[in-house]
Amino acid sequence: MNNYQTPLRDIDFTLFELFDYAEHCRTIGHAALDRELTKAFYGEAARFAEQVLAPLSAVGDEQGCQLRDGKVITPTGFKEAYQQYCAAGWPTLSRSSAYGGQGLPQSLGVILSEILGTPNWAWGMYAGLSQGAMHTIETHGTEAQKQQYLPALISGHWTGTMCLTEAQAGSDLGLLGTRAELQPDGSYHITGTKIFISSGDHDLADNIVHIVLARLPGAPAGTKGISLFVVPKILIADDGSLAAANAVSCGALERKMGIHGNATCVLNFDGAKGWLLGEVNKGLNHMFTFMNLARIGSALHGLAHAELGYQKSRHYARERLQMRSATGVKNPADPADPIIVHPDIRRMLLTQKSLVEGIRMLCYYANINMDVSQHSSDSIEREKATDLLSLLTPIVKAFSTEAGFESANLALQCLGGHGYIREWGLEQNLRDCRIATLYEGTTGIQALDLLGRKVIGSGGKTLSPLVDEITALCRSCAGNEQLAAHVAQLATLSQEWQQISVYIAEQAERNPDEIGAAAVDYLMYSGYLVLAFLWLKAQKTALEQLAQPVSDPGFYRAKLATADFYFARILPRTISLVRAIESGADNLMILSSDEF
């Protein structure tokens, strides 16, 4: 069942009404990027997403990718869709004009990823990972490397990948064993096997540029001895044309739960020719340029499947007739009422709506701070945005994917048994969504980064930029009786958040396991808090719009009601999270390994 429609109205609200994107663009040097132009741009992207990409989602799921004679073949229609994507100039959007890009804000490109990825995430990953490869080369490459790789990547003629994971290493990259050996011509021979490489091989583009972590002989042990390399699938001649195949091959395609249309590869590097990207032994630091962008992408993965599931379950709930309303017949012309009249269906739909729209606000909030951190001419604003983005990134990645999966699961539940049947698309949506909490560092890894490194590691200083914004919002709502209860709720939680942070740090001095024991609960608390901040901001914005003549007052009234639902029924989850944190690590460690 394909009835997907790009949520352009909510995208427009979030960008231009909630975050004043036109003013944001003006302050970072893009004054021409106004609301009308942006809406026209996204409208065209929506047409492509709905008409071309959405129908290919089920095709990709059913066919999957095939490995034939060492070559990966993508599902029917994927290659043609990619060619249309390139012909329209989409991959050039937010890349440097010095190498063929349009030079527009990074945030604009990230939102494009949401629009194109939501109806068909498996396809969208081919394009999305290329953006990370470009960003990494542009940030850390030599001018010669930029000239060699960026024009073809920006045009879409080549794509890119991120090659970190190895069978024995997983998230502990200090254990990776891929070797890099310097050659007389200044290149390196890269030898090793990488697993779980999304878009690792395919037939969409002429070449694939792999960004690879490897270790030089005699390098320090652990993560301090890792370097970063650029390794093309096909070598490049001096004149820029493609030459011989490099010694990198797809050894197998992973058999996966979901996203079947994307090729997840085992890649073998058998002395493949590569070139150092950035400084020796600084590879992990450099790769975070790619990973942090990919973490925002993973957050969009959670948003995409939450949105897709919500649309399908909402449509079904409006049409499906079953039982009568407890408060009286609502649909007398038919033998039963639509299930959307029943409180439990509304509970599931409103949970989805509050999470979908909340996650969108959260992702866009991070994107805008990313723009400011990269392009603001005000050094103070740039530093503030950098600090805020550092705190937000693990929250955005982990909370958005966890909440996105919850929402996708509720969407299936709304359909009852029909949700479990393939033809409705909800079971595929749930399968495709499941990987999001694992990508780019699992929820547990993100939680440790947030609590252990960002918060406790800084002595709590990283909380200050967000706490300041929450405080400023609460002050701006002072005197508004309609918002008073939510302002009080948010202000109290902001204080509690700071107190919990101190409490965990004190407990960890006694027992270091307290950080790991509290981390995921702490991250989820942080996510619910940030969404409360954004929902209050949205409610304030909606009230301001309703104070003047508007063409769609129902849209704003829905925002107010959804915010009320969030504060009443979702935000109280923080209470149980605090109780779990306060219970400590001992109840997790009491059993011996043999007693499990």
Side-chain angles (χ1 to χ4, degrees):
M1 183 182 72
N2 174 35
N3 58 346
Y4 172 73
Q5 290 185 316
T6 307
L8 290 174
R9 182 64 183 92
D10 200 59
I11 290 172
D12 178 70
F13 169 81
T14 307
L15 272 180
F16 288 97
E17 296 176 38
L18 190 68
F19 293 125
D20 195 0
Y21 194 64
E23 175 63 17
H24 164 72
C25 289
R26 188 193 66 77
T27 62
I28 60 171
H30 292 281
L33 197 58
D34 60 14
R35 190 171 189 172
E36 183 178 356
L37 179 60
T38 304
K39 287 178 72 172
F41 168 77
Y42 283 148
E44 186 60 25
R47 182 203 61 78
F48 178 66
E50 293 164 12
Q51 297 179 14
V52 178
L53 298 180
L56 294 176
S57 180
V59 175
D61 186 57
E62 291 166 6
Q63 290 186 7
C65 296
Q66 305 295 321
L67 183 59
R68 302 174 189 165
D69 301 323
K71 298 180 179 179
V72 174
I73 309 299
T74 54
T76 301
F78 271 47
K79 186 172 184 178
E80 292 76 12
Y82 185 78
Q83 290 169 343
Q84 291 182 55
Y85 163 78
C86 294
W90 299 121
T92 69
L93 186 68
S94 56
R95 302 269 57 95
S96 172
S97 56
Y99 307 101
Q102 297 182 50
L104 294 171
Q106 188 84 23
S107 57
L108 203 69
V110 174
I111 296 164
L112 175 66
S113 297
E114 177 200 346
I115 292 174
L116 300 184
T118 299
N120 191 339
W121 195 263
W123 182 93
M125 290 172 66
Y126 293 106
L129 283 161
S130 295
Q131 293 295 322
M134 295 179 225
H135 189 50
T136 305
I137 293 171
E138 193 172 334
T139 303
H140 300 292
T142 64
E143 184 56 35
Q145 288 173 332
K146 295 175 188 179
Q147 294 288 350
Q148 184 174 40
Y149 293 105
L150 287 178
L153 282 167
I154 288 172
S155 70
H157 288 101
W158 299 353
T159 63
T161 75
M162 174 171 54
C163 299
L164 290 77
T165 310
E166 299 177 12
Q168 80 288 350
S171 296
D172 189 354
L173 293 174
L175 299 177
L176 70 80
T178 297
R179 306 188 311 278
E181 298 172 323
L182 181 62
Q183 302 303 300
D185 64 356
S187 68
Y188 292 80
H189 279 174
I190 310 297
T191 303
T193 296
K194 299 289 185 177
I195 64 170
F196 304 158
I197 308 305
S198 300
S199 310
D201 197 20
H202 54 78
D203 58 354
L204 304 185
D206 299 332
N207 201 5
I208 303 174
V209 179
H210 302 294
I211 308 298
V212 185
L213 287 178
R215 193 183 299 278
L216 292 165
T223 57
K224 294 181 179 179
I226 298 173
S227 298
L228 192 62
F229 300 86
V230 55
V231 184
K233 176 184 176 181
I234 301 175
L235 295 170
I236 305 159
D238 292 339
D239 64 0
S241 63
L242 296 179
N246 205 352
V248 53
S249 61
C250 177
L253 289 175
E254 306 285 5
R255 300 178 66 184
K256 304 172 297 185
M257 179 178 178
I259 53 168
H260 295 158
N262 192 268
T264 305
C265 301
V266 175
L267 289 184
N268 296 320
F269 295 84
D270 298 311
K273 202 163 190 176
W275 286 265
L276 183 68
L277 190 60
E279 298 180 47
V280 169
N281 296 335
K282 297 291 186 181
L284 191 56
N285 290 336
H286 297 336
M287 186 60 100
F288 271 106
T289 301
F290 199 142
M291 289 175 68
N292 284 333
L293 190 60
R295 284 170 175 168
I296 301 297
S298 293
L300 293 177
H301 191 169
L303 169 60
H305 293 291
E307 174 67 46
L308 190 62
Y310 174 55
Q311 287 195 22
K312 288 178 180 289
S313 60
R314 180 184 62 196
H315 174 79
Y316 183 88
R318 288 169 174 167
E319 300 293 326
R320 173 68 168 176
L321 302 179
Q322 194 165 323
M323 300 185 294
R324 289 298 189 188
S325 167
T327 57
V329 174
K330 300 297 188 294
N331 188 26
D334 289 306
D337 290 328
I339 62 173
I340 200 168
V341 306
H342 302 309
D344 191 55
I345 297 296
R346 286 175 168 258
R347 174 189 63 83
M348 291 188 284
L349 289 174
L350 276 165
T351 299
Q352 291 176 69
K353 181 175 171 61
S354 67
L355 292 177
V356 168
E357 295 175 11
I359 296 168
R360 180 170 292 113
M361 291 187 285
L362 176 59
C363 290
Y364 290 17
Y365 181 51
N367 289 336
I368 286 170
N369 277 283
M370 179 169 58
D371 283 347
V372 175
S373 72
Q374 294 173 357
H375 301 297
S376 177
S377 58
D378 186 326
S379 60
I380 295 175
E381 288 298 311
R382 196 166 57 244
E383 183 178 357
K384 176 185 173 184
T386 299
D387 291 344
L388 186 53
L389 185 62
S390 176
L391 177 74
L392 284 174
T393 297
I395 300 172
V396 172
K397 190 278 168 185
F399 182 85
S400 297
T401 56
E402 291 287 347
F405 183 73
E406 176 189 351
S407 188
N409 195 39
L410 286 172
L412 188 151
Q413 188 75 12
C414 281
L415 271 69
H418 289 286
Y420 201 64
I421 302 301
R422 175 164 292 192
E423 67 184 275
W424 293 91
L426 273 302
E427 64 88 30
Q428 179 194 337
N429 188 56
L430 192 63
R431 286 188 287 106
D432 288 350
C433 186
R434 184 61 187 89
I435 185 64
T437 64
L438 307 178
Y439 271 148
E440 314 310 334
T442 64
T443 300
I445 294 294
Q446 300 301 323
L448 287 172
D449 176 49
L450 172 66
L451 178 57
R453 194 164 71 89
K454 301 286 176 59
V455 177
I456 294 178
S458 72
K461 293 180 182 178
T462 53
L463 298 179
S464 296
L466 186 53
V467 169
D468 290 345
E469 291 215 11
I470 291 171
T471 302
L473 176 64
C474 290
R475 285 175 179 165
S476 73
C477 297
N480 189 321
E481 293 183 4
Q482 289 178 268
L483 300 178
H486 294 171
V487 168
Q489 205 171 345
L490 177 60
T492 299
L493 286 175
S494 180
Q495 284 292 115
E496 185 179 55
W497 191 38
Q498 297 170 73
Q499 292 165 359
I500 293 168
S501 303
V502 172
Y503 172 80
I504 298 170
E506 291 173 348
Q507 295 303 305
E509 292 180 1
R510 175 185 62 82
N511 179 3
D513 273 340
E514 293 289 345
I515 295 176
V520 169
D521 292 323
Y522 180 87
L523 183 143
M524 295 303 292
Y525 183 105
S526 303
Y528 289 122
L529 172 68
V530 180
L531 251 63
F533 160 66
L534 294 169
W535 267 118
L536 179 60
K537 187 176 179 70
Q539 202 167 27
K540 179 175 181 286
T541 302
L543 286 172
E544 291 168 350
Q545 293 297 321
L546 286 171
Q548 56 191 333
V550 291
S551 60
D552 53 351
F555 175 85
Y556 298 107
R557 287 196 295 267
K559 284 290 179 189
L560 297 176
T562 307
D564 286 341
F565 173 87
Y566 181 83
F567 274 89
R569 282 188 171 255
I570 303 298
L571 193 56
R573 296 178 183 185
T574 55
I575 297 171
S576 63
L577 293 170
V578 171
R579 297 295 179 269
I581 290 169
E582 291 175 341
S583 75
D586 291 348
N587 53 39
L588 299 178
M589 312 307 292
I590 192 168
L591 294 182
S592 69
S593 300
D594 294 336
E595 289 174 321
F596 275 91

